[in-house]
């Protein structure tokens, strides 16, 4: 689609920019989240988006940049809760004119490098030409394809760096030469049930990047928005496309090496860990939408982390952290240990595991645990499990859990123990029964591993 060119005034100073932003929000809401994404297109249905990736997602911040993007996109109506708009070359040039005072400031600082003055002069000419005669702009007028400049510009304002990266692709944006992808502006205002695939990805990205806590966003209905895709590297393929073209793709030697088939991409396909001491030994075991805190280590084998779940800090994971499960710092999840999620199986209450807990190998935990709890290897504790606690041990547990009520008969359902601190669960084999007692063991992770 050819861009709709129209002139736009250059914002000359930072003070003018502040006035522009204040005026913009006089009658408009601030978005909860927004960003420019690369949208991968269907190979079957023209212009249908099947997946997206955000190089930078803004979450409850950088509202001035949204004012720029919305103005550059010529958005007139904000009645819908979600915004998904295709980006064209005119959008990029308008954004440059609106970001002008910040870009020129950085280009002036860039001048000690040989071509700085030439680049600054070229940028000013481009903006002035566009603002006075937008239809005269040609692809040849667009400069700044040097990657060193792109890395430098936007060091203080990452959204400007995004615009400069769009500038690299301005020919493709303008001519529509590449049919496999396009760029879009995505935003939403209130955390309502998600209506678009793009906003679904934005919410999952916010969770994985730690921009908002786990279980804090409305993810209802996202499964219906995400198509089931064959993923090869970071490239999605529709299964029907592969079936329809299997013979020709294989004859040409272009049939993709399929890594997995799922509605969700993998965590590392969309985000980088926030810190260097996060270790993921098998990238297939962490789904997009999971969050991994500093010091987290995920071993290969039975380990797994679903979306909207994860660990808040240093944690050894050799088991399964199911959907909506949140694990506290210092907890060790043993080989094959499973924490129940909320996607299937009847459990509707999200489970939290406290700090410094130990879940033994092949254990199953279906209730929340407080801090410093232990579930022995092979032990299953569910909401409906019957647990025996003798009177003395119950008194010790009550001493550190003020809401715990000691039962005269010594019998407790699992849900009655949910969230308690310092409880040790064990299955007795000699006289088969599930017991609990006050945990006396200190759980310490190997600091060298985290």
């Amino acid at each position: 689609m050819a861009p709709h060119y129209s002139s736009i005034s250059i914002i000359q100073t930072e003070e003018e920019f502040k006035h522009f932003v204040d005026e913009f929000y006089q009658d408009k809401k601030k978005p909860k989240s927004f960003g420019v994404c690369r949208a991968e297109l269907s190979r079957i249905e023209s212009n249908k988006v099947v997946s997206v990736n955000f190089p930078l997602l803004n979450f409850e911040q950088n509202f001035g940049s949204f004012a720029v993007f919305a103005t550059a996109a010529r958005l007139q109506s904000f009645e819908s809760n979600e915004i998904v708009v295709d980006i064209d070359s005119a959008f990029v040039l308008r954004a440059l004119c609106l970001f002008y005072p910040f870009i020129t400031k950085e280009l002036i600082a860039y001048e000690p490098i040989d071509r700085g003055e030439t680049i600054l002069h070229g940028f000013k000419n481009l903006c002035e030409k566009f603002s006075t005669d937008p239809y005269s702009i040609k692809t040849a007028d667009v400069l700044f394809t040097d990657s060193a400049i792109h890395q430098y510009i936007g060091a203080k304002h990452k959204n400007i760096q995004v615009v400069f990266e769009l500038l690299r692709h301005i020919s493709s944006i303008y001519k529509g030469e590449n049919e496999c992808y396009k760029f879009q502006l995505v935003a939403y205002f209130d955390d309502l049930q998600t209506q678009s695939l793009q906003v679904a990805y934005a919410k999952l990205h916010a969770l994985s990047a730690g921009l908002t806590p786990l279980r804090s966003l409305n993810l209802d209905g996202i499964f219906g928005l995400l198509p089931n895709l064959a993923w090869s590297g970071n490239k999605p393929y529709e299964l029907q496309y592969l079936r329809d073209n299997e013979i020709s793709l294989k004859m040409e030697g272009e049939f993709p090496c399929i890594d997995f088939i799922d509605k969700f991409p993998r965590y590392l396909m969309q985000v980088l860990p926030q810190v260097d001491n996060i270790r993921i030994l098998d990238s297939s075991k962490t789904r997009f939408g999971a969050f991994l805190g500093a010091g987290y280590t995920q071993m290969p084998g039975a380990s797994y982390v679903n979306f909207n779940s994860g660990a808040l800090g240093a944690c050894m994971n050799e088991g399964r952290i199911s959907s909506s499960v949140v694990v506290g710092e210092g907890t060790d999840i043993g080989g094959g240990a499973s924490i129940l999620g909320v996607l299937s199986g009847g459990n509707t209450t999200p489970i939290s595991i406290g700090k410094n807990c130990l879940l033994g190998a092949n254990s199953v935990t279906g209730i929340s645990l407080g801090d410093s709890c232990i579930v022995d290897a092979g032990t299953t504790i569910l909401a409906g499990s019957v647990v025996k606690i003798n009177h003395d041990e119950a008194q010790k547990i009550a001493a550190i859990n003020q809401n715990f009520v000691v039962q005269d008969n010594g019998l407790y359902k699992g849900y009655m123990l949910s969230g308690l601190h310092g409880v040790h669960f064990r299955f007795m084999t000699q006289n088969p029964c599930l017991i609990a007692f006050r945990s006396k063991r200190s759980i310490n992770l190997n600091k060298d591993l985290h």
Side-chain angles (χ1 to χ4, degrees):
M1 179 184 294
H4 173 64
Y5 276 129
S6 58
S7 61
I8 192 167
S9 299
I10 298 173
I11 294 180
Q12 298 287 345
T13 67
E14 292 184 26
E15 186 63 31
E16 285 182 31
F17 184 84
K18 183 179 183 303
H19 178 73
F20 155 75
V21 173
D22 290 342
E23 190 175 70
F24 178 87
Y25 284 112
Q26 282 183 358
D27 58 351
K28 299 178 184 67
K29 293 172 61 175
K30 292 180 177 178
K32 189 171 186 67
S33 181
F34 72 95
V36 170
C37 71
R38 176 186 167 115
E40 301 295 329
L41 299 177
S42 167
R43 291 170 171 81
I44 299 174
E45 298 180 45
S46 176
N47 219 36
K48 177 184 176 182
V49 174
V50 295
S51 73
V52 303
N53 205 322
F54 289 91
L56 174 69
L57 184 71
N58 304 272
F59 193 89
E60 297 181 342
Q61 61 180 350
N62 300 327
F63 299 117
S65 292
F66 178 73
V68 168
F69 290 163
T71 302
R74 295 299 197 200
L75 292 178
Q76 301 297 324
S77 172
F78 290 81
E79 295 178 1
S80 174
N81 188 57
E82 299 184 5
I83 292 173
V84 179
V85 181
D86 290 351
I87 287 174
D88 58 21
S89 55
F91 170 97
V92 179
L93 294 168
R94 291 187 197 112
L96 291 175
C97 292
L98 297 171
F99 277 134
Y100 185 88
F102 303 101
I103 297 172
T104 53
K105 186 176 182 178
E106 293 196 25
L107 284 173
I108 289 170
Y110 194 69
E111 276 194 59
I113 300 173
D114 292 342
R115 295 187 297 121
E117 186 173 349
T118 303
I119 294 165
L120 177 61
H121 180 71
F123 173 73
K124 288 183 175 180
N125 282 345
L126 174 65
C127 291
E128 289 170 6
K129 186 175 182 180
F130 179 74
S131 65
T132 55
D133 187 9
Y135 291 92
S136 69
I137 294 291
K138 307 296 181 186
T139 301
D141 293 319
V142 182
L143 310 174
F144 322 116
T145 57
D146 186 341
S147 62
I149 299 172
H150 284 252
Q151 291 172 4
Y152 184 87
I153 301 302
K156 295 181 180 178
H157 306 282
K158 291 297 183 183
N159 283 299
I160 291 177
Q161 191 174 22
V162 169
V163 176
F164 266 72
E165 288 299 323
L166 286 171
L167 205 54
R168 287 180 191 269
H169 299 81
I170 198 164
S171 177
S172 295
I173 294 171
Y174 178 67
K175 297 178 182 179
E177 292 174 348
N178 194 313
E179 297 179 355
C180 296
Y181 70 94
K182 61 182 175 180
F183 298 97
Q184 295 183 311
L185 171 64
V186 178
Y188 69 97
F189 296 93
D190 297 311
D191 185 26
L192 307 177
Q193 182 167 329
T194 309
Q195 301 298 315
S196 66
L197 174 146
Q198 290 87 339
V199 170
Y201 267 77
K203 289 185 176 183
L204 293 170
H205 187 112
L207 293 169
S208 281
L211 302 176
T212 188
L214 293 169
R215 305 196 305 225
S216 66
L217 295 178
N218 185 342
L219 301 180
D220 293 347
I222 66 169
F223 272 92
L225 297 170
L226 306 181
N228 200 31
L229 300 167
W231 298 86
S232 178
N234 210 354
K235 186 174 292 186
Y237 292 87
E238 290 158 295
L239 292 168
Q240 191 58 51
Y241 166 81
L242 294 178
R243 294 188 194 101
D244 292 343
N245 296 275
E246 181 177 5
I247 293 175
S248 61
L249 287 171
K250 288 181 176 178
M251 293 292 284
E252 292 292 334
E254 295 180 357
F255 193 83
C257 175
I258 298 173
D259 299 310
F260 65 103
I261 298 174
D262 194 9
K263 288 174 171 282
F264 289 72
R266 293 170 179 171
Y267 171 90
L268 288 177
M269 294 164 64
Q270 293 276 335
V271 297
L272 285 171
Q274 293 78 39
V275 291
D276 290 347
N277 65 345
I278 291 175
R279 296 194 297 150
I280 306 171
L281 277 66
D282 186 345
S283 65
S284 69
K285 299 300 180 67
T286 308
R287 224 174 185 189
F288 182 41
F291 173 76
L292 310 178
Y296 172 86
T297 297
Q298 185 166 328
M299 302 301 289
S303 60
Y304 178 71
V305 188
N306 210 333
F307 77 99
N308 203 27
S309 64
L312 303 182
C315 172
M316 174 61 73
N317 181 24
E318 298 180 84
R320 189 173 73 210
I321 301 176
S322 301
S323 177
S324 297
V325 171
V326 177
V327 177
E329 184 177 8
T331 287
D332 189 336
I333 303 172
S338 179
I339 310 168
L340 300 189
V342 297
L343 290 182
S344 61
N347 182 41
T348 58
T349 303
I351 291 175
S352 297
I353 304 298
K355 298 179 180 179
N356 304 311
C357 292
L358 174 62
L359 307 185
N362 297 318
S363 62
V364 178
T365 303
I367 62 171
S368 291
L369 303 179
D371 298 337
S372 303
C373 290
I374 298 175
V375 181
D376 275 1
T379 298
T380 296
I381 172 66
L382 304 175
S385 300
V386 177
V387 185
K388 290 184 178 181
I389 307 177
N390 71 42
H391 186 75
D392 289 344
E393 293 298 325
Q395 292 289 350
K396 294 177 184 177
I397 293 172
I400 61 168
N401 295 281
Q402 62 179 4
N403 294 324
F404 176 63
V405 178
V406 177
Q407 302 294 312
D408 292 336
N409 63 1
L411 298 178
Y412 303 81
K413 283 294 187 75
Y415 69 84
M416 300 168 66
L417 309 175
S418 184
L420 298 183
H421 302 295
V423 181
H424 190 150
F425 296 93
R426 173 174 293 168
F427 185 77
M428 303 298 290
T429 56
Q430 187 171 7
N431 296 304
C433 65
L434 182 61
I435 68 168
F437 50 93
R438 174 73 170 91
S439 176
K440 304 173 185 177
R441 183 175 168 185
S442 176
I443 308 302
N444 297 302
L445 298 177
N446 185 337
K447 293 183 179 180
D448 293 338
L449 300 179
H450 302 273

